[in-house]
């Protein structure tokens, strides 16, 4: 898969031009009354694409040349005044004009009435657009009957124009349909309530909006510079009703093959060798429905986990490498592997990389091939779990059925779902979905910097209802990864989804851990839950709830301490939750979601609010691929609730909770009365390995040991950890995931060099004391310094007072999906803290924060 050498919205050649020559005779504005050896007038500019064609310019007088050997319907040979001759499209010229300029030339064409009768009509040249429109077609879809009528018209003898009655209203509209069509699209996609998907369009021109107040000479909005896939300015969607749909579908797929599958020898190598047989084997015979997913060896276990044969037997897996294909066949899955298509292995598929984008394109190309073979396809990412077969709930009238990918499900999600998933949608066989795929791939060719999700939604936002019928899956039956794993709306409502998507997360290890936390992962062996005779499991738990939001400063220290203690005691750590706070913190989760209308009745159309679920596990903050380098040293938080875990393994054998003492800055709350307290000899340094063994070796046979808060307890200073192999391993393993690191890099690159004003302190009422806080900082920080204001949702609190005191002011602008709950507070606190670590100076009313640059 590669970038096409020519995109057909910028020009056409080769196969595309041959397709145009085939299509021109089928268009509505077919020229009639043609004679040869007589003067003709060029109605539009025309540039040749093949050797037997000739360029002409609008208004140029030509001479038609008789050519008995010409067998191309819709073309005529003409001679220019310079004596050069060649072919031009027939409907680019007119024979009915006054060579002296006495009256405007008229374009002759046929209309077809409801009975199938043809009528020759004429239209003044002055009413036509000045842009080339080789057979503009009607914007509205007149139905399949007209296609048959157009076919009958082209096979019947030609009538003289003088015998025809006046042009029908439908045919008058058809003449300028292309410009009207695109202007309608501009109006449709403006910022009016008609906007469909809520996606801001990024156009070819870059700065020009899709719709402006500028008007053409006719008073209508000027034609927008939006993306369209087609032939010579005629969108493919416009051709559907004027060309045999199967032929058009085949031509479009042939274009896709020519553009994207070009091996080194220059011959087209489409991925359909044997694909038809594989689809026939996988699809449900009665409906021709099939699930299509893609995986290499690195994601093969996701397919084996989430696509059980007893739930979704009609699944075809496209293997991206030979090893994955062999594995799927051994597991008795229906797999297809095309060795002529370059293998895409798991070590070259980092999200956002060129190879990853190749996978995104490849699946659309395979999908187009399946649609051409008349299969209805549910395309899905491999990292999904199917609880039930989904086909029965898809509405029968929609050609394309998409899934909501919004973090907050809109109230009008059926009409305007916001962002939709590019990796999960159902499409029925037909030419319109194939054209849609062509437009998405063309757009990606022009915008290689955009993610596939952006391209998919961009094109979807530009479509008219007349282009393709679109429906939206119910967000509770088909939740996206944010709704299910982060906000947990489905679980909190007690619902049962059909398919669960694991998006809104990068990295295979992060996704696997996510599934484990929701008990959706079935690929771990029994030893994972039970141990074995030679290596019995012994568990370690600790209290992860914290007394304040610290940007995970305290949580990270506690996690490192817990991992070290588990390694020293030869135990397996059960991870805590990471948005959990003690009761005395005053940080409470939001009330349960109850969706009611203004009268208090439950409203099933309202599916969400702007508060997060305050239930997050380690993968939301930390990189699990790095954590897994520690081997089997830890288990997920939900491990103790898994049915495969023996009850005896969870026994504490009557032991109490053990508490390790710490300095006051770490031990913010006294230990509970019923705990056993161990005090290190060096309280500031924390517990040594020898002390840990001394304290806990008497309890080595206890299946599960429970510890209290471990922040600052055994997490050696960085300079000391660097001299310790275990400490080095743990510090390398515990770091934040890439999305958080990327936020930090972007903010630092924008503002640096800068000072940080740390307002993330739980003891201060920020909004009530903001004026005094700004005044105090202003006495210490010069106005010329660039400052970064670190505080939760400062963009909502307001930066006006800061901008009055300093010339350059920055604050973290978080995604709306952080919501108004504890997850959002924790997430923003982490990023603010990491940004301030790279500030020149950190300013706070807390001297320790100023000294350590730890803004928490």
């Amino acid at each position: 898969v590669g970038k096409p050498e020519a995109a057909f919205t910028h020009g056409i050649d080769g196969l595309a031009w041959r397709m145009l020559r085939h299509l021109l005779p089928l268009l509505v504005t077919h020229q009639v009354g043609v004679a040869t050896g007589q003067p003709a007038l060029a109605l539009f500019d025309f540039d040749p694409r093949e050797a037997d064609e000739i360029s002409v310019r609008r208004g140029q007088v030509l001479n038609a040349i008789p050519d008995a050997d010409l067998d191309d319907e819709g073309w005529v040979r003409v001679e220019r005044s310079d004596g050069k001759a060649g072919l031009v499209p027939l409907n680019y010229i007119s024979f009915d004009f006054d060579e002296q300029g006495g009256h405007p030339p008229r374009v002759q064409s046929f209309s077809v009435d409801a009975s199938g009768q043809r009528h020759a009509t004429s239209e003044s040249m002055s009413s036509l657009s000045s842009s080339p429109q080789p057979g503009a077609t009607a914007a509205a879809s007149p139905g399949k009957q007209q296609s048959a009528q157009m076919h009958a018209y082209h096979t019947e003898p030609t009538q003289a124009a003088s015998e025809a009655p006046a042009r029908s209203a439908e045919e008058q509209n058809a003449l300028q349909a292309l410009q009207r069509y695109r202007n309608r699209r501009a109006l449709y996609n403006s910022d009016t309530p008609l906007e469909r998907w809520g996606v801001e369009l990024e156009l070819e021109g870059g700065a020009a909006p899709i719709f402006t107040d500028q008007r053409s000479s006719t008073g209508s909005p000027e034609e927008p510079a939006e993306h369209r896939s087609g032939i010579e300015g005629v969108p493919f969607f416009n051709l559907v009703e004027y060309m045999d749909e199967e032929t058009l579908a085949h031509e479009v797929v042939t274009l896709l093959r020519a553009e994207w599958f070009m091996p080194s020898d220059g011959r087209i190598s489409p991925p359909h060798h044997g694909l038809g047989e594989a689809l026939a084997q996988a699809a449900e015979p009665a409906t021709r429905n099939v699930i299509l997913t893609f995986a290499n060896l690195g994601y093969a276990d996701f397919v084996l986990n989430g696509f059980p044969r007893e739930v979704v037997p009609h699944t075809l897996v496209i293997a991206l490498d030979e090893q994955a294909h062999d594995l799927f066949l051994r597991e008795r899955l229906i797999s297809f592997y095309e060795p002529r298509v370059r293998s895409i292995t798991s070590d070259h598929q980092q999200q956002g990389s060129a190879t990853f984008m190749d996978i995104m394109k490849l699946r659309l190309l395979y999908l187009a091939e399946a649609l051409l073979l008349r299969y209805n396809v549910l395309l899905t990412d491999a990292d999904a779990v199917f609880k039930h077969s989904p086909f029965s709930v898809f509405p029968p009238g929609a050609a394309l059925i998409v899934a909501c990918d919004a973090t907050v499900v809109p109230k009008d999600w059926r009409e305007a779902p916001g962002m939709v998933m590019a990796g999960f949608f159902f499409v029925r066989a037909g030419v319109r979905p194939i054209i849609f795929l062509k437009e998405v791939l063309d757009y990606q060719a022009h915008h290689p910097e955009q993610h596939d999700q952006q391209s998919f939604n961009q094109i979807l936002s530009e479509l008219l209802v007349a282009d393709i019928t679109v429906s939206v899956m119910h967000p509770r039956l088909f939740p996206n990864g944010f709704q299910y794993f982060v906000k947990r709306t489905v679980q909190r409502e007690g619902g049962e989804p059909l398919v669960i998507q694991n998006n809104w997360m990068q990295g295979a290890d992060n996704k696997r851990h996510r599934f484990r936390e929701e008990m959706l992962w079935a690929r771990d062996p029994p030893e994972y839950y039970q141990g074995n005779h030679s290596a019995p499991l012994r568990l370690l738990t600790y209290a992860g709830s914290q007394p304040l939001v610290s940007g995970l400063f305290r949580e990270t220290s506690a996690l490192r301490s817990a991992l070290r203690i588990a390694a020293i005691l030869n135990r397996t750590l059960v991870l805590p939750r990471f948005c959990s706070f003690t009761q005395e913190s005053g940080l409470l989760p939001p009330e349960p979601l109850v969706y009611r209308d203004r009268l208090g009745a439950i409203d099933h159309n309202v599916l969400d609010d702007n508060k997060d679920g305050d239930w997050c596990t380690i993968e939301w903050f930390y990189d699990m691929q790095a954590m897994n380098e520690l081997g089997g040293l830890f288990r997920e938080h939900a491990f103790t609730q898994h049915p495969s875990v023996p009850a005896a393994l969870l026994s504490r054998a009557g032991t109490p909770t053990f508490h390790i003492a710490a300095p006051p800055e770490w031990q913010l709350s006294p230990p509970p009365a019923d705990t056993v307290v161990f005090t290190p000899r060096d309280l500031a340094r924390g517990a040594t390995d020898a002390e840990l063994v001394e304290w806990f070796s008497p309890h080595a046979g206890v299946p599960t040991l429970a510890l209290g808060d471990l922040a600052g307890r055994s997490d050696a200073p960085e300079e000391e950890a660097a001299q310790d192999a275990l400490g080095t391993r743990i510090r390398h393993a515990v770091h934040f995931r890439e999305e958080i690191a990327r936020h930090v890099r972007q903010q630092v690159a924008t503002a640096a060099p800068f000072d940080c004003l740390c307002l993330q302190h739980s003891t201060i009422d920020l909004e009530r004391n903001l004026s005094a806080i700004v005044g105090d900082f202003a006495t210490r920080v010069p106005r010329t310094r660039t400052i970064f204001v670190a505080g939760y949702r400062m963009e909502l609190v307001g930066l006006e007072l800061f901008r009055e005191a300093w010339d350059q002011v920055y604050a973290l602008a978080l995604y709306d999906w952080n919501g108004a709950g504890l997850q959002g507070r924790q997430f923003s606190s982490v990023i603010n803290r990491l940004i301030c670590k790279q500030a020149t100076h950190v300013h706070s009313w807390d001297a320790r924060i100023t000294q350590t640059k730890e803004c928490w």
Side-chain angles (χ1 to χ4, degrees):
V1 181
K3 185 176 179 180
E5 294 183 2
F8 297 114
T9 51
H10 286 179
I12 56 177
D13 56 11
L15 180 62
W17 183 240
R18 293 194 296 274
M19 181 180 173
L20 174 62
R21 295 180 63 158
H22 171 71
L23 293 177
L24 281 173
L26 302 180
L27 301 176
V28 172
T29 55
H30 185 80
Q31 199 78 25
V32 299
V34 176
T36 57
Q38 62 174 315
L41 182 73
L43 301 179
F44 309 106
D45 291 347
F46 173 73
D47 293 312
R49 299 296 190 275
E50 294 190 4
D52 59 349
E53 300 161 6
I54 190 172
S55 64
V56 298
R57 291 293 171 260
R58 182 188 180 209
Q60 190 173 8
V61 178
L62 310 165
N63 188 44
I65 303 173
D67 191 343
D69 296 329
L70 182 61
D71 58 0
D72 274 346
E73 183 185 8
W75 294 81
V76 63
R77 187 175 302 280
V78 299
E79 183 182 47
R80 295 189 314 215
S81 59
D82 59 4
K84 293 182 180 180
L87 298 180
V88 297
L90 183 57
N91 61 350
Y92 270 57
I93 65 173
S94 172
F95 296 97
D96 182 20
F97 76 103
D98 184 348
E99 294 185 68
Q100 303 301 319
H103 61 80
R106 305 184 70 81
V107 179
Q108 298 179 346
S109 57
F110 271 119
S111 64
V112 183
D113 61 23
S115 65
Q117 296 296 314
R118 295 173 293 105
H119 305 287
T121 60
S122 62
E123 179 70 24
S124 172
M125 179 68 180
S126 61
S127 66
L128 294 177
S129 166
S130 61
S131 60
Q133 301 184 44
T137 57
S141 299
K144 294 185 180 297
Q145 182 183 9
Q146 188 171 5
S147 293
Q149 293 167 353
M150 291 301 298
H151 178 73
Y153 152 66
H154 285 298
T155 59
E156 292 177 3
T158 304
Q159 288 185 351
S162 58
E163 300 176 6
R167 178 192 294 261
S168 68
E170 182 182 27
E171 192 63 13
Q172 290 175 356
N173 290 336
L175 189 61
Q176 293 184 329
L178 180 59
Q179 185 175 6
R180 295 196 340 272
Y181 176 86
R182 297 182 73 178
N183 282 328
R184 281 174 55 205
R185 291 161 56 82
L187 289 168
Y188 189 83
N189 291 297
S190 68
D191 55 0
T192 68
L194 291 175
E195 185 174 9
R196 191 173 187 183
W197 304 108
V199 179
E200 182 179 353
L201 302 182
E202 298 179 13
L203 307 178
E204 300 286 344
I210 189 71
F211 173 70
T212 67
D213 291 332
Q214 296 178 349
R215 302 279 161 168
S216 67
S217 58
T218 61
S220 62
E222 289 194 350
E223 184 177 346
E226 63 182 357
H227 175 82
R228 284 282 77 184
S229 295
I231 299 297
E232 280 292 279
V234 180
F236 285 123
F237 278 118
N238 280 28
L239 302 175
V240 173
E241 297 302 332
Y242 303 106
M243 183 177 176
D244 178 75
E245 292 191 10
E246 186 173 348
T247 301
L248 179 58
H250 184 272
E251 293 285 3
V252 174
V253 172
T254 302
L255 285 175
L256 289 173
R257 295 171 185 168
E259 293 164 359
W260 295 98
F261 290 98
M262 295 295 293
S264 57
D265 60 6
R267 291 182 291 111
I268 295 175
S269 178
H272 70 280
H273 181 70
L275 180 60
E277 291 81 354
L279 284 165
Q281 183 183 0
E284 186 179 14
T287 62
R288 299 181 70 83
N289 291 338
V290 65
I291 296 171
L292 193 64
T293 192
F294 302 76
N296 53 29
L297 189 61
Y299 269 75
D301 56 343
F302 283 94
V303 177
L304 299 175
N305 175 75
F307 297 74
R309 293 185 62 196
E310 63 274 15
V311 177
V312 282
H314 304 293
T315 300
L316 175 61
V317 186
I318 305 295
L320 300 177
D321 58 45
E322 189 172 6
Q323 294 83 357
H325 180 58
D326 293 341
L327 174 60
F328 294 142
L329 293 181
R330 290 197 302 271
E331 295 286 341
R332 300 176 60 202
L333 297 183
I334 303 173
S335 175
F336 174 79
Y337 173 61
E338 173 56 82
R340 294 180 298 171
V341 176
R342 179 171 61 90
S343 294
I344 301 177
T345 56
S346 55
D347 56 341
H348 294 96
Q349 66 167 49
Q350 182 178 359
Q351 187 162 358
S353 67
T355 307
F356 176 84
M357 296 305 295
D358 276 353
I359 299 176
M360 302 301 102
K361 299 182 184 78
L362 188 64
R363 63 186 185 181
L364 296 186
L365 295 166
Y366 271 104
L367 176 57
E369 297 284 345
L371 295 176
L372 185 63
L373 294 172
R374 301 180 181 177
Y375 288 96
N376 311 311
V377 181
L378 174 61
L379 184 142
T380 176
D381 289 331
D383 54 352
V385 169
F386 283 75
K387 307 287 284 187
H388 305 279
S389 177
F391 291 117
S392 62
V393 303
F394 293 150
L400 175 64
I401 306 175
V402 295
C404 178
D405 203 25
T407 56
V408 177
V409 177
K411 293 182 179 179
D412 56 345
W413 58 269
R414 287 184 175 87
E415 292 77 29
M419 189 70 72
V420 302
M421 298 185 212
F424 186 74
F425 57 92
F426 179 69
V427 59
R428 288 190 167 90
V431 65
R432 293 183 182 275
I434 291 176
I435 295 173
F436 171 69
L437 299 179
K438 177 73 166 68
E439 295 218 8
V440 174
L441 286 164
D442 282 356
Y443 189 84
Q444 283 191 299
H446 292 127
H447 301 274
E449 77 286 354
Q450 287 204 6
H451 194 275
D452 67 304
Q453 179 107 331
Q454 296 171 305
S455 301
F456 188 90
N457 281 269
Q458 175 74 26
I459 296 303
L460 193 59
S461 71
E462 294 182 4
L463 296 181
L464 278 179
V465 175
D467 288 337
I468 188 171
T469 53
V470 183
S471 182
V472 182
M473 302 179 194
H474 198 290
R476 288 297 176 265
L477 297 180
F478 303 94
N480 63 56
F482 195 92
Q483 286 288 320
Y484 191 85
F485 294 101
V486 181
K487 299 189 74 171
R488 304 187 75 242
T489 48
V490 179
Q491 301 91 313
R492 292 158 73 190
E493 293 175 352
E496 175 71 11
L498 299 180
V499 185
I500 301 163
Q501 289 292 320
N502 198 347
N503 62 343
W504 285 93
M505 176 59 65
Q506 295 184 13
D509 290 292
N510 289 336
K511 291 172 181 282
R512 291 186 187 96
H513 189 90
R514 227 185 191 188
F515 275 150
R516 290 188 180 103
E517 291 287 10
E518 285 289 346
M519 298 188 190
L520 293 173
W521 188 253
R523 299 301 300 173
D524 291 317
E527 293 80 9
Y528 180 86
Y529 301 100
Q530 303 165 12
N532 52 50
H533 293 293
S534 61
L537 277 183
R538 293 290 184 264
L539 303 182
L540 178 72
T541 67
Y542 73 97
S545 297
Q546 293 296 327
L548 51 81
V549 175
S550 69
L552 293 186
F553 176 65
R554 294 179 59 84
E555 286 87 345
T556 300
S557 175
L559 176 59
R560 287 172 175 165
S561 296
L563 288 168
R564 184 177 190 89
I565 294 172
I568 295 298
L569 302 181
N570 195 26
R571 287 181 174 269
T572 300
L573 175 66
V574 178
L575 296 167
R577 293 177 180 175
F578 283 82
C579 272
S580 180
F581 299 93
T582 59
Q583 289 187 345
E584 61 267 24
S585 70
L587 300 171
L588 302 177
E591 297 179 359
L593 295 175
V594 179
Y595 308 120
R596 300 182 182 275
D597 60 21
R598 283 185 250 174
L599 299 179
I602 291 181
D603 186 349
H604 294 288
N605 292 320
V606 179
L607 298 179
D608 209 352
D609 59 18
N610 66 345
K611 294 184 179 180
D612 53 48
D614 294 311
W615 186 94
C616 56
T617 46
I618 189 170
E619 81 285 348
W620 189 237
F621 295 105
Y622 299 97
D623 180 7
M624 299 310 297
Q625 181 177 357
M627 285 281 291
N628 285 336
E629 294 178 2
L630 296 173
L633 189 57
F634 63 91
R635 294 291 188 270
E636 67 274 12
H637 176 74
F639 178 82
T640 57
Q641 284 81 48
H642 199 282
S644 298
V645 175
L649 181 58
L650 305 179
S651 171
R652 294 172 56 181
T655 58
T657 299
F658 298 99
H659 183 88
I660 300 176
E665 63 267 21
W666 289 110
Q667 187 170 306
L668 302 182
S669 302
D674 57 347
T675 61
V676 172
V677 179
F678 294 125
T679 303
R681 297 179 183 86
D682 186 345
L683 195 64
R685 184 215 175 273
T688 65
D689 295 351
E691 288 175 320
L692 293 172
V693 172
E694 176 187 346
W695 295 335
F696 296 109
S697 57
H699 311 286
V702 176
T704 298
L705 290 181
L707 278 62
D709 182 18
L710 292 179
R713 267 61 172 187
S714 187
D715 179 24
E718 187 169 353
E719 59 276 7
E720 183 177 330
Q723 308 301 319
D724 172 34
L726 177 59
T728 300
R729 285 182 60 211
I730 291 175
R731 284 190 171 264
H732 286 168
V734 179
H735 64 78
F736 294 110
R737 63 188 178 96
E738 171 57 25
E739 290 89 329
I740 292 177
R742 185 173 61 248
H743 275 296
V744 175
R745 289 195 302 268
Q746 291 171 344
Q747 294 283 337
V748 171
T750 301
F754 61 92
D755 283 9
C756 172
L757 306 185
C758 183
L759 308 183
Q760 297 186 157
H761 206 289
S762 59
T763 62
I764 299 295
D765 187 330
L766 183 60
E767 293 191 45
R768 183 173 297 180
N769 296 280
L770 189 60
S771 179
I773 291 172
V774 172
D776 178 64
F777 281 135
T779 63
R780 292 182 279 155
V781 183
R783 182 181 187 90
T784 56
R785 290 292 300 167
T786 298
I787 66 164
F788 178 87
V789 183
Y792 178 59
R793 299 314 296 263
M794 285 306 304
E795 77 278 14
L796 299 182
V797 174
L799 298 174
E800 290 78 10
L801 289 176
F802 295 92
R803 292 191 173 110
E804 291 176 4
W806 293 277
D807 297 330
Q808 296 291 329
V809 178
Y810 293 90
L812 181 62
L814 284 175
Y815 292 136
D816 290 339
W817 48 258
N818 283 291
L822 302 183
Q823 277 192 40
R825 185 179 295 272
Q826 186 80 292
F827 196 86
S828 66
S829 177
V830 170
I831 300 176
N832 277 327
R833 171 179 158 249
L834 296 178
I835 292 172
C836 288
K837 289 286 286 183
Q838 300 191 48
T840 305
H841 302 285
V842 175
H843 305 277
S844 172
W845 48 85
D846 187 324
R848 189 165 63 91
I849 290 177
T850 301
Q851 181 179 0
T852 62
K853 287 184 158 182
E854 283 290 357
C855 180
W856 59 281

